[in-house]
Amino acid sequence: MELHDVWFVLIAVLWTGYFFLEGFDFGVGILTKLLARDRTEKRVLINTIGPVWDGNEVWLLTAGGATFAAFPEWYATLFSGFYLPLLIILVCLIVRGVAFEYRAKRPEEEWQRNWEEAIFWTSLIPAFLWGVAFGNIVRGVKIDAHKEYVGTFWDLFNAYAILGGLVTLFLFTFHGSVFTSLKTVGEIRERSRALALKLGLVTAVLALVFLIWTQVSRGDTKSLVAMVIAVVALVGAVGAIKAGREGWSFALSGITIAAAVAMLFLTLFPNVMPSSLHEEWNLTVSNASSSPYTLKIMTWCAGIATPVVLLYQGWTYWVFRKRIGTQHIAETH
C-alpha cells in the first residue's frame, strides 16, 4: 500500500471520529429545542456536552489539516468549490462556540435565551450541510481539466445530496438523544429514550434509501459489506434503546456512523473527488497527493501525536462520565 493510500484511510478515520463525537453534540444542541421543556432542562442538556464539545471539534481541524497536507489538490478544489456551504458551517461553529461560553456570562433571561436559540440553529445547520457536502463528494461535481470546480452553489443541492443532508441531520439527532439518555437521570432520561426510538425509526428509513442509492450507483462488494454493517447496527441501536440499554445503543449508533463513513470512502477510492463532467478529470489519491517525502514526514508526526491526543480525550470523557439531572442545576447562575 502506498503512503497516499494510507493517508486516504487516515483521513477517513479522522472524519469518522469527528462525526461520531461531534455528531452527538450536534444532536444534543438540536434537542435543546425538541426535548427540553424549560430552561433548566436546556441547561442539563448543555451541561452533558459542556466539558467535551470543544475537544470534539479538534477532529475537524485535524481532518482539514491532514487533507491540506496530504492531498493539496483535493483541499483546493473542495474548499473553492464548496466555499459558501463550508463558510456557513464555519460561521455556525464559531457562533456555537461563543454561545456555549457566553450564555452564562450574564443573568438576564433574554440574553441566555438568545444564546440557547443560537446553539440550536448552529447545531442543526452544520448537521445538515455536512451530509450535503459528502453527498456531493461521492456523487461527483463539475470539475474541469484544470482540477477546478466550475459548477454553481445551487448545483450542490441535488436530490442525492439533500437526502444525504437529511440522513446526517436525523442520524446525529438520534445519536444525541441516545447520548442524552446515557448521560441524564429522571424524567428527561425517559423522554430522551422515547424520542430516540421515534428518531431511530425515521433515520433507519432515510439511511436505508441513501445507502442503497449509493451502493447501486457507485458501490462494490466492500461497500456492500459496510452498508450491511451500518444498517444492522442502526437497527440494533433502535432495539437497544427500546430495551433501555443506552450504552449498547450509543455504541451501535457509533458503529452505524463509522460503517456509513467507511462505505462512502470505499465508494470513492481511488478517487478523492470525482468529476461529473469527465472521468479523466477525477481527482485521485495519486494525482491529488503531496510528494512521498511529505507524506513520510506526516506519517511520523501522526504516529507520535495521535496516541497522546486519544489518551487525553479518553481521560476527559472518563472524568466527566457521571449522569446529571435537573436536581444538579442550581436555581440561579
Side-chain angles (χ1 to χ4, degrees), residues 1-11 70-74 147 265 268-274 282-292 295:
M1 181 180 287
E2 300 289 337
L3 277 179
H4 52 61
D5 298 332
V6 172
W7 274 96
F8 180 81
V9 174
L10 290 176
I11 288 172
F71 299 99
E73 294 285 356
W74 183 14
K147 301 178 183 177
F265 275 85
L268 271 177
F269 187 81
N271 297 316
V272 294
M273 203 165 179
N282 290 352
L283 295 179
T284 67
V285 292
S286 56
N287 68 19
S289 68
S290 295
S291 67
L295 296 177

Coordinates of all heavy atoms in Angstrom, one line a residue, residues 1-11 70-74 147 265 268-274 282-292 295:
M1 N 0.9 -1.2 0.0 CA 0.0 0.0 0.0 C 0.9 1.3 0.0 O 1.8 1.4 0.8 CB -0.9 0.0 1.2 CG -1.8 1.2 1.3 SD -2.9 1.2 2.7 CE -4.1 -0.1 2.3
E2 N 0.6 2.2 -0.9 CA 1.4 3.4 -1.0 C 1.0 4.3 0.1 O -0.1 4.2 0.7 CB 1.1 4.1 -2.3 CG 1.5 3.3 -3.6 CD 3.0 3.1 -3.7 OE1 3.7 4.0 -3.2 OE2 3.5 2.2 -4.3
L3 N 1.9 5.3 0.4 CA 1.6 6.2 1.5 C 0.3 7.1 1.2 O -0.4 7.4 2.2 CB 2.8 7.2 1.8 CG 3.9 6.6 2.6 CD1 5.0 7.6 2.8 CD2 3.4 6.2 4.0
H4 N 0.1 7.4 0.0 CA -1.1 8.2 -0.3 C -2.4 7.4 0.0 O -3.4 8.0 0.4 CB -1.1 8.8 -1.7 CG -0.9 7.8 -2.8 ND1 -1.7 6.8 -3.1 CD2 0.1 7.8 -3.7 CE1 -1.2 6.1 -4.1 NE2 -0.1 6.7 -4.6
D5 N -2.3 6.1 -0.2 CA -3.4 5.2 0.2 C -3.6 5.2 1.7 O -4.8 5.2 2.2 CB -3.2 3.8 -0.4 CG -3.1 3.7 -1.9 OD1 -3.7 4.6 -2.5 OD2 -2.4 2.8 -2.4
V6 N -2.5 5.1 2.4 CA -2.6 5.1 3.9 C -3.2 6.4 4.4 O -4.1 6.4 5.3 CB -1.1 5.0 4.5 CG1 -1.2 5.2 6.0 CG2 -0.6 3.6 4.1
W7 N -2.8 7.5 3.8 CA -3.4 8.8 4.2 C -4.9 9.0 3.8 O -5.6 9.6 4.5 CB -2.5 10.0 3.8 CG -1.4 10.2 4.7 CD1 -0.2 9.7 4.7 CD2 -1.6 10.9 6.0 NE1 0.5 10.1 5.8 CE2 -0.3 10.8 6.6 CE3 -2.6 11.6 6.6 CZ2 0.0 11.4 7.8 CZ3 -2.3 12.1 7.8 CH2 -1.1 12.1 8.4
F8 N -5.3 8.4 2.8 CA -6.7 8.3 2.4 C -7.5 7.6 3.5 O -8.5 8.1 4.0 CB -6.9 7.6 1.1 CG -8.3 7.6 0.6 CD1 -8.9 8.7 0.0 CD2 -9.1 6.4 0.8 CE1 -10.2 8.6 -0.4 CE2 -10.4 6.4 0.4 CZ -11.0 7.5 -0.2
V9 N -6.9 6.5 4.0 CA -7.6 5.8 5.1 C -7.6 6.6 6.4 O -8.6 6.6 7.1 CB -6.9 4.4 5.3 CG1 -7.5 3.7 6.5 CG2 -7.0 3.5 4.0
L10 N -6.4 7.2 6.7 CA -6.4 8.0 7.9 C -7.3 9.2 7.9 O -7.9 9.5 8.9 CB -4.9 8.5 8.1 CG -3.9 7.5 8.4 CD1 -2.5 8.1 8.5 CD2 -4.2 6.8 9.7
I11 N -7.5 9.8 6.7 CA -8.5 10.9 6.6 C -9.9 10.4 6.9 O -10.7 11.0 7.5 CB -8.3 11.6 5.3 CG1 -7.0 12.5 5.3 CG2 -9.5 12.6 5.0 CD1 -6.7 13.1 4.0
A70 N -1.8 16.3 3.0 CA -1.6 15.1 2.3 C -2.2 15.2 0.8 O -1.6 14.6 -0.1 CB -2.3 13.9 3.0
F71 N -3.3 15.9 0.6 CA -3.9 16.0 -0.7 C -4.2 17.5 -1.0 O -5.4 17.9 -1.0 CB -5.2 15.1 -0.7 CG -5.0 13.7 -0.5 CD1 -5.2 13.1 0.8 CD2 -4.5 12.8 -1.5 CE1 -5.0 11.8 1.0 CE2 -4.3 11.5 -1.2 CZ -4.5 11.0 0.0
P72 N -3.2 18.3 -1.3 CA -3.4 19.7 -1.5 C -4.4 20.0 -2.7 O -5.2 21.0 -2.6 CB -2.0 20.3 -1.8 CG -1.2 19.1 -2.1 CD -1.8 17.9 -1.4
E73 N -4.3 19.2 -3.7 CA -5.2 19.4 -4.9 C -6.7 19.2 -4.4 O -7.6 19.9 -4.9 CB -4.9 18.5 -6.0 CG -3.5 18.8 -6.7 CD -3.6 20.1 -7.5 OE1 -4.7 20.7 -7.7 OE2 -2.5 20.5 -8.0
W74 N -6.9 18.1 -3.7 CA -8.3 17.8 -3.2 C -8.7 19.0 -2.3 O -9.9 19.4 -2.4 CB -8.2 16.5 -2.4 CG -9.5 16.0 -1.8 CD1 -10.8 16.5 -2.2 CD2 -9.7 15.0 -0.9 NE1 -11.7 15.8 -1.5 CE2 -11.1 14.9 -0.7 CE3 -8.9 14.2 -0.1 CZ2 -11.7 13.9 0.2 CZ3 -9.4 13.2 0.7 CH2 -10.8 13.1 0.9
K147 N -8.7 20.9 -12.8 CA -9.0 20.5 -11.4 C -9.7 21.6 -10.6 O -9.5 21.7 -9.4 CB -7.7 20.1 -10.7 CG -7.0 18.9 -11.3 CD -5.7 18.6 -10.5 CE -4.9 17.5 -11.2 NZ -3.6 17.2 -10.6
F265 N -16.3 6.3 1.8 CA -14.9 6.4 1.3 C -14.5 5.2 0.5 O -13.7 5.3 -0.4 CB -14.0 6.5 2.5 CG -13.8 7.9 3.0 CD1 -14.7 8.5 3.9 CD2 -12.7 8.7 2.6 CE1 -14.6 9.8 4.4 CE2 -12.6 10.0 3.0 CZ -13.5 10.5 3.9
L268 N -15.6 5.9 -3.0 CA -14.8 7.0 -3.6 C -13.5 6.4 -4.1 O -13.1 6.7 -5.3 CB -14.4 8.0 -2.6 CG -15.4 9.2 -2.4 CD1 -14.9 10.1 -1.3 CD2 -15.5 10.0 -3.7
F269 N -12.8 5.5 -3.4 CA -11.4 5.1 -3.7 C -11.4 4.4 -5.1 O -12.3 3.6 -5.4 CB -11.0 4.1 -2.6 CG -9.5 3.7 -2.7 CD1 -8.5 4.5 -2.3 CD2 -9.2 2.5 -3.3 CE1 -7.2 4.2 -2.4 CE2 -7.8 2.2 -3.5 CZ -6.9 3.0 -3.0
P270 N -10.4 4.7 -5.9 CA -9.2 5.5 -5.6 C -9.4 7.0 -5.9 O -8.4 7.8 -5.8 CB -8.2 5.0 -6.6 CG -9.0 4.6 -7.8 CD -10.3 4.1 -7.2
N271 N -10.6 7.4 -6.2 CA -10.9 8.9 -6.3 C -11.0 9.5 -4.9 O -11.3 8.9 -3.9 CB -12.2 9.1 -7.1 CG -12.2 8.5 -8.5 OD1 -11.2 8.7 -9.2 ND2 -13.2 7.8 -8.9
V272 N -10.7 10.8 -4.9 CA -11.0 11.6 -3.7 C -12.1 12.6 -4.0 O -12.8 13.1 -3.1 CB -9.7 12.3 -3.2 CG1 -8.7 11.3 -2.7 CG2 -9.1 13.2 -4.2
M273 N -12.3 12.9 -5.3 CA -13.3 13.8 -5.7 C -13.6 13.6 -7.2 O -12.9 14.1 -8.0 CB -12.9 15.3 -5.4 CG -14.1 16.2 -5.3 SD -13.6 17.8 -4.5 CE -15.1 18.7 -4.6
P274 N -14.7 12.8 -7.5 CA -15.0 12.5 -8.9 C -15.5 13.8 -9.6 O -16.1 14.6 -9.1 CB -16.0 11.4 -8.8 CG -16.0 11.0 -7.4 CD -15.5 12.1 -6.6
N282 N -11.2 13.3 -12.9 CA -11.3 12.9 -11.5 C -10.1 13.3 -10.7 O -8.9 13.1 -11.2 CB -11.6 11.4 -11.3 CG -13.0 11.0 -11.8 OD1 -13.8 11.9 -12.2 ND2 -13.2 9.7 -11.9
L283 N -10.3 13.7 -9.5 CA -9.1 13.8 -8.5 C -9.0 12.5 -7.8 O -9.9 12.0 -7.3 CB -9.4 14.9 -7.5 CG -9.5 16.4 -8.0 CD1 -9.8 17.3 -6.9 CD2 -8.2 16.8 -8.7
T284 N -7.8 11.9 -7.9 CA -7.5 10.6 -7.3 C -6.4 10.7 -6.2 O -5.8 11.8 -6.0 CB -7.0 9.6 -8.4 OG1 -5.7 10.1 -8.8 CG2 -8.0 9.6 -9.6
V285 N -6.2 9.6 -5.5 CA -5.2 9.6 -4.4 C -3.8 9.8 -5.0 O -2.9 10.3 -4.2 CB -5.3 8.3 -3.6 CG1 -6.6 8.1 -2.9 CG2 -5.1 7.1 -4.6
S286 N -3.6 9.6 -6.2 CA -2.3 9.8 -6.8 C -2.1 11.1 -7.4 O -1.1 11.8 -7.1 CB -2.0 8.7 -7.9 OG -3.0 8.7 -8.9
N287 N -3.1 11.7 -8.2 CA -2.8 13.0 -8.8 C -3.2 14.1 -7.9 O -2.9 15.3 -8.3 CB -3.6 13.1 -10.1 CG -5.1 13.1 -10.0 OD1 -5.6 13.4 -8.9 ND2 -5.8 12.8 -11.0
A288 N -3.7 13.9 -6.7 CA -4.1 15.0 -5.8 C -3.2 15.0 -4.6 O -3.3 15.9 -3.7 CB -5.5 14.9 -5.4
S289 N -2.2 14.1 -4.4 CA -1.5 13.9 -3.2 C -0.2 14.7 -3.2 O 0.3 15.2 -4.2 CB -1.1 12.4 -3.0 OG -0.2 12.0 -4.0
S290 N 0.4 14.9 -2.0 CA 1.7 15.6 -1.9 C 2.8 14.6 -2.2 O 2.5 13.4 -2.6 CB 1.8 16.0 -0.4 OG 0.9 17.0 0.0
S291 N 4.0 15.1 -2.1 CA 5.2 14.2 -2.5 C 5.3 13.1 -1.5 O 4.9 13.2 -0.3 CB 6.4 15.1 -2.5 OG 6.7 15.5 -1.2
P292 N 6.0 12.0 -1.9 CA 6.2 10.9 -0.9 C 7.0 11.3 0.3 O 6.7 10.8 1.4 CB 7.0 9.9 -1.8 CG 6.6 10.2 -3.2 CD 6.4 11.7 -3.2
L295 N 4.6 13.0 2.7 CA 3.7 12.0 3.4 C 4.5 11.2 4.4 O 3.9 10.8 5.5 CB 3.1 11.1 2.3 CG 2.2 11.7 1.3 CD1 1.7 10.7 0.2 CD2 1.0 12.4 2.0

